[in-house]
């Protein structure tokens, strides 16, 4: 039931309408100099990058099992059942663990602010909940960014790969990476050239599982370790008591 | 009262002035102005040093409490109080450091109401909070004794076994969890330092650091207060440190071997240089030094070996938190001077508070003769620390 975006970079003409639409949706400034910035930041949540006449969008991948949501000590991030990974600024204490943990380095920070927020694409949750498509998908003139059900988009991406195999590298980036993401990417070139991590590096295992393996043991560890420590305490003090009692007895015995 | 201006007091003053300026920049210009942290380097020197190293260096508290009260090693009794004091101050200052590093420190209390049990950071935060409270209670008898309040000392007596077990449990959890923080970054942290064993290494090194730190602080306070140094205590700690270093070194070797990195770590590279530095300082030099009986029996030798190993473990924490990310990010991170000066200010505050505390509280035994020898198994009744003595009664 979750929504997703399919970005087909072979259809992208680099017009940056998605950037503009995103800025408007999120009340962020947008002008020629911001458009020229080839990187994301707290005021540029999505960026269309250009390398050798090829284009590539970057935005939050909206992981199925997001690392940011799992690491946040106050649960400021969560994955909604509709698909978007959203952020609750009120809860945030500013530890920036989300930024350190994100395999796509998507959360950005308002470093200049005195009450800074984490900023990232939140996949227009208000629009999505209202049954509308995201601002970027709506703005896209060529259909390079397409909004829809994730299952439908996966099927469509597979069809496109089948119908025009010469147009694409034979993979859907985001289908399995870190357990799957709500952004699916088709491209003729390696997405790694645009700063995406290689699938081999991030793997298919959802990242929260790495810490989960340790965290899941803690509820068992606490009682067991407490008992061990308490036991050591009891034994070592009992031994001292016995030794003291024996010494006392010996003293009494020799006095007699 | 006239305060004499000594060399160290001037140094302290300069550090405080610089630190206060940086504090001003931090809270009135923001994190971007005070630090060289960026979107690519969201965690900088304050996390690497103030948090990771700070908590590690405060490990002496739980190590010594564990040795003396859990395992009933009477001979180490005289170092418990300074170790607990160091730990208590260490954790308080860690929290001060956190107030600088957090982007929205005024919401730090959200930890208490918006809990995310899946988050390692939440677990660390919660343990540190509770453990600082435990340390506060372990520290309180000093104050009560000073004020000659008998009744509250008795109350603390009663809960002492609980405090001891709780303190060690919480320390085990958060010392290791500081390593678990990095488990979620397999694609970012360099393979030399990213290992599933991170939580074990962080805990194991904390134990070694606890021993080294106790040697360090005992030696220093002995010099500063003109006390006679108890060599037998230092020698025991030194022996334990040697064992702890060997265990840590073997586990590290086993980890490199198991992950097939042995060839890679001897090949020169940017990360390898830092790894070599780390391994030399943590293991090679101190282990070689401590292997000589002459060094193990001399206060200066023990001090030197401990300090070198402390620098080694600090290098380890900085490698995990900073150096290990540089290849992934693609550029270097060098802290701004204001980041250093905040850290320096916090450290200086720590030294000053320690000095004040040992001046006014019965942290160190007044008379060294009161400390019992190791062979005396009977629960000692030294006048200087009657509270903790009866913890097990």
């Amino acid at each position: 039931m979750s929504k997703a975006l399919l970005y087909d970079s072979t259809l992208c003409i680099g017009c940056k309408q998605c950037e503009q639409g995103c800025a408007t949706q999120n009340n962020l400034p947008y002008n020629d100099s911001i458009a020229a910035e080839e990187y994301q930041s707290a005021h540029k949540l999505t960026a269309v990058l250009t390398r050798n006449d090829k284009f590539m969008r970057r935005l939050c991948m909206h992981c199925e099992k997001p690392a940011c949501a799992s690491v946040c000590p106050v649960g400021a991030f969560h994955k909604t059942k509709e698909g978007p990974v959203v952020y609750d600024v009120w809860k945030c204490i500013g530890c920036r663990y989300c930024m350190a943990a994100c395999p796509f380095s998507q959360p950005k920070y308002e470093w200049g602010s005195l009450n800074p927020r984490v900023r990232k694409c939140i996949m227009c949750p208000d629009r999505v909940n209202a049954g509308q498509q995201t601002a970027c998908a709506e703005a896209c003139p060529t259909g390079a960014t397409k909004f829809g059900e994730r299952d439908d988009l996966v099927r469509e991406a597979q069809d496109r790969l089948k119908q025009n195999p010469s147009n694409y590298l034979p993979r859907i980036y985001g289908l399995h990476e870190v357990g799957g993401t709500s952004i699916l990417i088709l491209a003729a070139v390696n997405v790694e050239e645009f700063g995406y991590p290689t699938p081999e590096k991030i793997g298919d295992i959802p990242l929260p599982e790495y810490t989960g393996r340790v965290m899941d043991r803690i509820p068992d560890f606490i009682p067991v370790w407490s008992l061990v420590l308490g036991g050591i305490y009891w034994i070592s003090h009992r031994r001292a008591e016995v030794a003291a009692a024996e010494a006392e007895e010996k003293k009494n015995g020799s006095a007699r | 009262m006239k305060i004499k201006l000594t060399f160290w007091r001037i140094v302290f003053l300069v550090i405080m002035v610089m630190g206060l300026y940086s504090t001003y920049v931090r809270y009135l210009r923001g994190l971007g102005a005070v630090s060289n942290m960026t979107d690519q380097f969201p965690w900088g020197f304050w996390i690497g040093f103030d948090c990771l190293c700070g908590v590690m260096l405060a490990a002496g508290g739980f190590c010594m409490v564990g040795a003396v009260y859990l395992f009933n090693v009477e001979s180490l009794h005289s170092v418990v109080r300074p170790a607990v004091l160091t730990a208590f101050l260490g954790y308080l200052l860690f929290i001060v450091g956190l107030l600088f590093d957090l982007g929205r420190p005024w919401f730090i209390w959200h930890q208490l109401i918006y809990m995310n049990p899946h988050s390692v950071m939440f677990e660390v935060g919660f343990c540190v909070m509770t453990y600082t409270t435990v340390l506060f209670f372990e520290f309180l008898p000093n104050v009560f004794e000073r004020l000659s309040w008998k009744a509250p000392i008795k109350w603390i007596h009663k809960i002492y076994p609980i405090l001891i077990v709780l303190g060690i449990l919480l320390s085990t959890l958060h010392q290791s969890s500081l390593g678990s923080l990095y488990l979620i970054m397999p694609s970012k942290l360099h393979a030399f330092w990213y290992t599933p064993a991170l939580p074990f290494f962080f805990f194991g090194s904390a134990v070694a650091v606890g021993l080294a730190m106790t040697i360090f602080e005992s030696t220093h306070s002995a010099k500063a207060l003109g006390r006679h140094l108890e060599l037998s205590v230092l020698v025991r700690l030194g022996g334990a440190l040697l064992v702890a270093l060997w265990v840590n070194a073997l586990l590290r070797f086993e980890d490199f071997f198991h992950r097939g990195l042995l060839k890679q770590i001897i090949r020169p590279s940017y990360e390898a240089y830092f790894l070599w530095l780390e391994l030399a300082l943590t293991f090679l030099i101190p282990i070689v030094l401590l292997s000589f009986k002459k060094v193990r029996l001399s206060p200066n030798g023990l001090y030197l070996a401990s300090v070198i190993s402390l620098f080694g473990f600090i290098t380890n924490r900085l490698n995990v938190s900073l150096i290990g990310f540089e290849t992934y990010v693609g550029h270097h991170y060098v802290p701004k001077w204001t980041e250093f000066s905040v850290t320096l200010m916090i450290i200086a505050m720590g030294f000053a508070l320690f000095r004040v505390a040992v001046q006014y509280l019965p942290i160190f035994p007044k008379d060294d003769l009161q400390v019992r020898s190791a062979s005396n198994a009977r629960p000692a009744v030294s006048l200087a620390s009657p509270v903790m003595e009866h913890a097990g009664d």
Side-chain angles (χ1 to χ4, degrees):
Chain A
M1 280 300 103
S2 91
K3 303 287 182 189
L5 288 172
L6 171 62
Y7 173 72
D8 187 335
S9 74
T10 64
L11 299 177
C12 183
I13 54 170
C15 67
K16 304 201 176 189
Q17 291 289 317
C18 50
E19 290 185 2
Q20 173 110 51
C22 178
T24 312
Q25 173 72 25
N26 291 292
N27 294 320
L28 290 166
Y30 196 74
N31 52 38
D32 287 350
S33 71
I34 293 175
E37 288 172 5
E38 282 259 315
Y39 52 88
Q40 295 163 276
S41 60
H43 64 259
K44 190 166 182 175
L45 310 183
T46 185
V48 176
L49 312 180
T50 314
R51 303 259 192 293
N52 310 321
D53 300 334
K54 297 273 195 269
F55 305 109
M56 179 61 64
R57 254 192 96 184
R58 295 229 47 186
L59 69 164
C60 168
M61 301 295 283
H62 298 276
C63 308
E64 300 283 295
K65 299 267 161 54
C68 55
S70 107
V71 299
C72 181
V74 291
F77 285 99
H78 79 277
K79 172 99 177 161
T80 62
K81 64 179 191 306
E82 291 82 15
V85 176
V86 295
Y87 169 65
D88 182 348
V89 64
W90 161 250
K91 287 182 181 174
C92 181
I93 58 173
C95 71
R96 309 186 298 286
Y97 194 7
C98 50
M99 305 175 68
C102 176
F104 305 102
S105 297
Q106 281 301 309
K108 307 292 178 192
Y109 211 53
E110 295 177 331
W111 293 102
S113 166
L114 290 182
N115 196 20
R117 291 172 292 179
V118 174
R119 302 305 303 265
K120 72 171 194 70
C121 157
I122 50 171
M123 210 170 149
C124 308
D126 295 344
R127 300 175 62 111
V128 171
N129 289 348
Q132 289 175 285
Q133 55 181 336
T134 59
C136 55
E138 192 177 83
C140 185
T142 63
T145 300
K146 191 177 172 185
F147 177 82
E149 288 290 331
R150 186 172 190 269
D151 296 345
D152 298 344
L153 292 176
V154 169
R155 229 168 292 130
E156 178 162 352
Q158 283 163 342
D159 285 346
R160 287 188 204 177
L161 287 179
K162 220 175 282 164
Q163 275 157 19
N164 291 307
S166 56
N167 272 7
Y168 299 103
L169 289 183
R171 73 166 183 213
I172 307 169
Y173 191 88
L175 185 59
H176 299 300
E177 280 68 27
V178 290
T181 64
S182 293
I183 308 297
L184 304 162
I185 299 169
L186 288 175
V189 289
N190 277 320
V191 293
E192 289 85 341
E193 285 175 33
F194 298 89
Y196 281 94
T198 60
E200 297 76 49
K201 200 131 195 232
I202 51 177
D204 292 348
I205 301 169
L207 292 176
E209 281 185 22
Y210 288 88
T211 37
R213 282 170 205 157
V214 179
M215 296 298 287
D216 287 348
R217 295 206 186 136
I218 288 177
D220 292 332
F221 177 80
I222 290 174
V224 171
W225 193 229
S226 309
L227 277 176
V228 170
L229 294 174
I232 295 172
Y233 183 93
W234 187 79
I235 291 172
S236 56
H237 284 80
R238 180 76 195 142
R239 272 169 61 184
E241 268 171 42
V242 170
E246 272 172 5
E248 191 80 0
E249 220 164 80
K250 214 180 256 171
K251 215 168 79 187
N252 291 347
S254 60
R256 229 178 282 150
Chain B
M1 197 170 77
K2 229 173 123 190
I3 294 173
K4 249 202 325 203
L5 271 186
T6 61
F7 172 72
W8 286 110
R9 281 185 183 148
I10 293 170
V11 170
F12 179 73
L13 226 80
V14 171
I15 289 175
M16 289 310 279
V17 169
M18 288 188 345
L20 286 175
Y21 171 74
S22 307
T23 309
Y24 157 81
V25 176
R26 160 65 188 89
Y27 289 105
L28 284 124
R29 298 266 184 282
L31 280 172
V34 79
S35 76
N36 276 343
M37 288 189 279
T38 57
D39 284 339
Q40 287 75 43
F41 251 110
W43 280 359
F45 188 66
W46 289 340
I47 293 280
F49 192 87
D50 301 15
C51 295
L52 294 189
C53 295
V55 170
M56 171 184 81
L57 294 172
F62 94 89
C63 289
M64 289 307 113
V65 166
V68 172
Y69 295 121
L70 202 64
F71 289 97
N72 217 357
V73 183
E74 291 279 338
S75 56
L76 294 178
H77 217 125
S78 59
V79 293
V80 174
R81 286 191 172 204
V84 166
L85 173 67
T86 313
F88 182 50
L89 292 177
Y91 278 86
L92 286 182
L93 295 170
F94 159 77
I95 294 168
V96 171
L98 214 53
L99 295 180
F100 279 86
D101 185 73
L102 287 179
R104 301 149 71 89
W106 31 89
F107 288 133
I108 194 169
W109 51 273
H110 280 183
Q111 273 268 287
L112 291 169
I113 52 170
Y114 302 118
M115 303 187 244
N116 174 15
H118 302 291
S119 166
V120 182
M121 179 80 83
F122 161 72
E123 194 224 313
V124 172
F126 202 81
C127 285
V128 166
M129 223 156 43
T130 343
Y131 184 51
T132 310
T133 316
V134 169
L135 280 171
F136 173 69
F137 280 108
E138 289 181 350
F139 166 80
L140 262 187
N142 293 309
V143 182
F144 291 152
E145 240 174 73
R146 164 83 189 169
L147 300 171
S148 310
W149 290 359
K150 296 267 157 51
I153 294 184
K154 269 193 193 130
W155 301 334
I156 291 196
H157 261 191
K158 293 235 164 72
I159 56 165
Y160 224 84
I162 298 168
L163 286 180
I164 288 159
V165 170
L166 195 61
I168 296 169
L169 171 72
L170 291 167
S171 294
T172 319
L173 283 173
H174 72 260
Q175 292 284 1
S176 59
S177 290
L178 284 174
S180 311
L181 280 181
Y182 292 89
L183 286 181
I184 203 155
M185 310 173 200
S187 63
K188 291 183 163 184
L189 181 55
H190 194 273
F192 287 172
W193 295 285
Y194 184 87
T195 155
L198 265 176
F200 300 98
F201 290 159
F202 267 58
F203 178 71
S205 48
V207 173
V209 167
L211 296 163
M213 197 62 193
T214 310
I215 296 177
F216 171 80
E217 100 214 340
S218 306
T219 313
H220 260 277
S221 36
K223 262 188 204 140
L225 302 173
R227 282 175 63 242
H228 165 67
L229 204 62
E230 294 159 64
L231 189 57
S232 68
V233 172
L234 288 190
V235 169
R236 278 199 88 143
L237 290 171
L241 176 62
L242 180 60
V243 174
L245 290 178
W246 265 116
V247 171
N248 272 288
L250 290 176
L251 288 175
R252 280 300 287 281
F253 176 82
E254 159 67 19
D255 175 62
F256 287 133
F257 174 72
H258 187 73
R259 295 188 296 130
L261 284 177
L262 287 182
K263 268 206 190 110
Q264 225 178 308
I265 61 171
I266 51 171
R267 202 176 305 141
S269 67
Y270 179 70
E271 279 82 9
Y273 297 140
F274 280 93
L275 184 71
W276 295 346
L277 179 71
E278 173 196 330
L279 295 179
L281 291 176
T282 13
F283 302 127
L284 192 66
I285 302 173
I287 286 180
V288 168
L289 278 177
L290 289 173
S291 299
F292 292 104
K293 202 165 182 187
K294 216 171 143 194
V295 176
R296 230 168 36 238
L297 293 178
S298 101
N300 287 336
L302 286 166
Y303 177 77
L304 185 70
S306 308
V307 169
I308 292 173
S309 79
L310 286 177
F311 275 111
F313 285 113
I314 288 170
T315 314
N316 167 259
R317 296 302 194 264
L318 295 180
N319 281 344
V320 171
S321 59
L322 303 175
I323 303 296
F325 286 93
E326 294 197 326
T327 296
Y328 166 79
V329 171
H331 63 81
H332 297 291
Y333 158 83
V334 182
K336 227 181 211 167
W337 75 267
T338 38
E339 289 179 83
F340 285 126
S341 79
V342 165
T343 301
L344 265 178
M345 174 176 72
I346 293 173
I347 297 173
M349 274 157 56
F351 273 94
L353 286 172
F354 187 89
R355 191 72 183 77
V356 171
V358 296
Q359 187 101 43
Y360 294 104
L361 296 171
I363 304 290
F364 287 104
K366 289 266 176 322
D367 181 4
D368 287 327
L369 288 174
Q370 288 159 354
V371 177
R372 299 300 177 111
S373 67
S375 56
N376 194 343
R378 201 172 65 87
V381 233
S382 80
L383 292 171
S385 44
V387 183
M388 298 185 168
E389 292 294 347
H390 298 289
D393 297 0

